[in-house]
């Protein structure tokens, strides 16, 4: 896959100079750079794409993910909030925003962001898992256990492990 990523990146870089005013090409280049781990260049390309098309929620969402990878939580939050403002139906942007909000200590807002992501994309096992963890944190064990079970059934290994321990100790579920 590294060869494929390198080849794809080469093609994207070659396409970008042909269309420097093409926001989509810049965003695609940013995604390719992210895949190979060049975060700084990816951020630059994302910002260039946003300058070319300031109303593209995908560009803001990608910038948010890149800034999360760089642990720039304030910047990531601003970018993801803008993505959600531009397109409130982006489940992945709500989910990523939930991660940022939790990381910065805003558990209540993180819970709401995860709930919004799940409302938009009900079949989202990892979203259920993360929401379950936060609900457990705020002492809502029964609701957390239900979501954890759904995440475990959805194939999230951490949820399967957590749920197994919950049944073992009877935390939020009947001991079994």
């Amino acid at each position: 896959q590294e060869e494929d990523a390198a080849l794809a990146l080469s093609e994207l870089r070659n396409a970008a100079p042909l269309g420097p005013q093409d926001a989509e090409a810049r965003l695609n280049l940013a995604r390719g750079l992210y895949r190979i781990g060049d975060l700084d260049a990816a951020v630059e390309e994302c910002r260039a794409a946003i300058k070319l098309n300031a109303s593209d929620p995908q560009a803001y969402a990608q910038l948010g993910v890149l800034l999360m990878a760089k642990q720039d939580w304030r910047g990531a939050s601003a970018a993801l909030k803008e993505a959600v403002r531009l397109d409130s139906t982006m489940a992945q942007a709500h989910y990523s925003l939930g991660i940022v909000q939790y990381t910065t200590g805003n558990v209540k807002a993180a819970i709401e962001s995860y709930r919004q992501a799940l409302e938009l994309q009900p079949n989202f096992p990892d979203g259920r898992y993360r929401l379950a963890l936060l609900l457990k944190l705020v002492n809502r064990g029964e609701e957390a256990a239900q979501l954890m079970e759904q995440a475990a059934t959805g194939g999230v290994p951490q949820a399967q492990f957590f749920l197994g321990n919950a049944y073992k100790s009877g935390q939020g579920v009947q001991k079994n």
Side-chain angles (χ1 to χ4, degrees):
Q1 280 187 340
E2 280 185 35
E3 285 183 29
D4 291 343
L7 180 61
L9 180 59
S10 175
E11 290 172 1
L12 290 168
R13 279 196 168 146
N14 289 336
L18 296 175
Q21 299 304 313
D22 183 354
E24 188 174 339
R26 303 303 288 264
L27 185 56
N28 287 334
L29 179 54
R31 289 177 178 136
L33 290 163
Y34 175 60
R35 280 194 299 277
I36 65 161
D38 191 345
L39 298 178
D40 292 331
V43 167
E44 285 180 36
E45 290 301 327
C46 245
R47 289 189 171 138
I50 289 169
K51 279 185 181 178
L52 294 169
N53 182 4
S55 63
D56 181 4
Q58 293 293 328
Y60 286 99
Q62 184 64 49
L63 179 60
V65 169
L66 290 167
L67 294 173
M68 287 171 63
K70 292 176 62 82
Q71 297 184 352
D72 176 355
W73 306 115
R74 178 176 283 150
S77 177
L80 292 165
K81 285 178 180 177
E82 184 62 12
V84 168
R85 186 189 71 76
L86 290 169
D87 182 357
S88 63
T89 67
M90 291 180 67
Q92 192 63 41
H94 286 283
Y95 173 78
S96 296
L97 184 56
I99 293 170
V100 170
Q101 291 164 326
Y102 172 71
T103 302
T104 58
N106 193 344
V107 174
K108 184 178 179 179
I111 288 171
E112 289 308 310
S113 289
Y114 289 139
R115 286 192 191 282
Q116 185 64 37
L118 288 172
E119 185 176 309
L120 294 166
Q121 187 177 335
N123 186 20
F124 193 173
D126 196 55
R128 291 185 186 286
Y129 170 68
R130 289 188 179 263
L131 178 56
L133 289 176
L134 292 184
L135 291 173
K136 175 78 173 147
L137 190 65
V138 297
N139 297 317
R140 294 174 62 183
E142 286 186 32
E143 186 180 1
Q146 182 182 14
L147 286 163
M148 193 63 72
E149 187 169 346
Q150 293 166 351
T153 302
V156 178
Q158 302 93 325
Q160 294 165 347
F161 179 77
F162 190 97
L163 189 62
N165 283 329
Y167 276 113
K168 179 181 175 185
S169 62
Q171 293 180 316
V173 294
Q174 185 176 357
K175 190 173 182 177
N176 183 342

